[in-house]
Amino acid sequence: MQPRHFGFMLILHVLLIFHLLVFINFIPVYCSSEDASGFFVSLLFGLGPLLGGFILVVFALAFHLQHALLMGAASGIAFILAAWRPLQLLVSSKMGFFSLIFLLALGAAFVHVSSCSILKLAGRKKASVNNLPTANGFSVSVHTLQSFLSCGAVAFHALAEGLALGVAAPKAYGLGRHMVLPVSLHGLPRGAAVASCIFGATDSWHSALAAATLIGFVGPISAIGAILAGIDYSGLDHVMVFACGGLLPSFGNIIRRGVRLDARKGGFGLAIGVGFASLCLMCTKLVCLHTPYCNSAPEAVR
């Protein structure tokens, strides 16, 4: 990968954040200083996924990672993301076991039915056995479409976390500069999962970086919406668990395809994904436990 390509993606990302910051400079005229601080912290939430996607693409190109391994890695990361918050709620007794299982199952069923409906709709319009027509005349395979739908489940997960960030971010002091490290660590797995999934399906690092960049904007947009709407934290844990459930069927299909391509590499990729996501989230937890970085907005990076 040539540095100028990533530089171009990074410049676009920074330019959009810059324009949002210019917009935020005018917000205090209409909003409180706490809300203005919250908007700034929300923008930081987009850095992690971009960095996670970049790290994944660099490793994939440097070590010539195979599709099966990339799919396994994406699935391993997604499974950890799906389990992390529900386990926290269960251990802290903030949600009962049966309520948690019900919400996970409901989220999984919702995403499964939605994905099947989209695939069936696309299947009726397919031009051949394996290719689906698009408006621009290009063809998209069924497996590629499944990968994009899986990224949609990750976006839904990011949206739910963004709502929690939007509630917590206005409490961050110092314009949230202390939140940069934990928030970035927290977002790394999400960007890596999306980039790995798309890279494994399309063999295009451009598409992988673009997907990670787009996912990076979901959290901030959701957080800013939560701040503008003035919502509180009640009920957001239920939304989060529902979104976690949606990751399971999506990436269950991805890992099945990876194992069919190469069982050994698919399993190895799954282990790598589990390890990477666990490391990032545990480091976030350690940063929050042993530093004051998360004191002002703990809900944003749990």
Side-chain angles (χ1 to χ4, degrees):
M1 179 176 63
Q2 298 180 11
R4 70 173 185 273
H5 291 122
F6 176 70
F8 178 70
M9 298 291 295
L10 184 59
I11 288 171
L12 287 179
H13 195 84
V14 172
L15 282 176
L16 182 54
I17 290 179
F18 173 76
H19 283 91
L20 289 173
L21 284 173
V22 171
F23 168 72
I24 287 171
N25 284 332
F26 295 96
I27 290 178
V29 177
Y30 308 100
C31 304
S32 67
S33 59
E34 282 191 354
D35 286 347
S37 176
F39 285 121
F40 184 80
V41 176
S42 299
L43 295 179
L44 300 178
F45 208 51
L47 295 177
L50 176 64
L51 293 174
F54 174 64
I55 291 170
L56 184 282
V57 168
V58 168
F59 272 89
L61 293 176
F63 296 100
H64 305 286
L65 301 183
Q66 300 298 314
H67 291 190
L69 192 144
L70 289 169
M71 291 176 184
S75 301
I77 294 171
F79 293 152
I80 293 298
L81 291 177
W84 189 259
R85 185 59 184 153
L87 284 176
Q88 285 183 324
L89 293 172
L90 189 62
V91 171
S92 62
S93 301
K94 291 186 177 180
M95 186 176 294
F97 176 78
F98 292 106
S99 298
L100 192 146
I101 294 298
F102 174 74
L103 286 170
L104 284 174
L106 195 63
F110 173 76
V111 170
H112 177 71
V113 171
S114 300
S115 298
C116 288
S117 299
I118 293 173
L119 290 172
K120 286 180 181 178
L121 181 62
R124 295 195 190 107
K125 300 178 180 180
K126 64 183 179 179
S128 65
V129 174
N130 294 318
N131 292 329
L132 306 174
T134 64
N136 295 325
F138 298 100
S139 61
V140 178
S141 71
V142 173
H143 296 307
T144 301
L145 182 57
Q146 286 178 332
S147 298
F148 282 113
L149 292 175
S150 297
C151 292
V154 176
F156 183 40
H157 183 270
L159 185 147
E161 281 201 340
L163 292 176
L165 175 71
V167 173
K171 302 173 186 176
Y173 55 87
L175 286 178
R177 63 180 180 273
H178 301 293
M179 295 288 293
V180 175
L181 178 59
V183 165
S184 296
L185 282 172
H186 197 68
L188 280 176
R190 183 178 296 112
V194 169
S196 184
C197 187
I198 296 301
F199 203 171
T202 65
D203 201 26
S204 168
W205 65 262
H206 302 83
S207 300
L209 273 183
T213 302
L214 290 175
I215 287 295
F217 288 123
V218 175
I221 291 172
S222 175
I224 291 172
I227 295 172
L228 292 175
I231 65 175
D232 58 26
Y233 197 77
S234 59
L236 290 186
D237 280 335
H238 295 80
V239 175
M240 189 68 215
V241 175
F242 182 85
C244 288
L247 294 171
L248 299 175
S250 297
F251 285 89
N253 292 330
I254 297 297
I255 187 58
R256 279 197 294 270
R257 182 178 175 229
V259 169
R260 282 199 297 267
L261 289 175
D262 190 316
R264 186 176 62 85
K265 290 180 180 178
F268 184 58
L270 183 67
I272 291 176
V274 167
F276 176 76
S278 299
L279 179 64
C280 289
L281 294 175
M282 283 190 292
C283 286
T284 304
K285 196 69 175 177
L286 288 174
V287 167
C288 291
L289 286 175
H290 299 288
T291 70
Y293 289 171
C294 306
N295 289 349
S296 56
E299 300 290 351
V301 291
R302 284 187 302 186

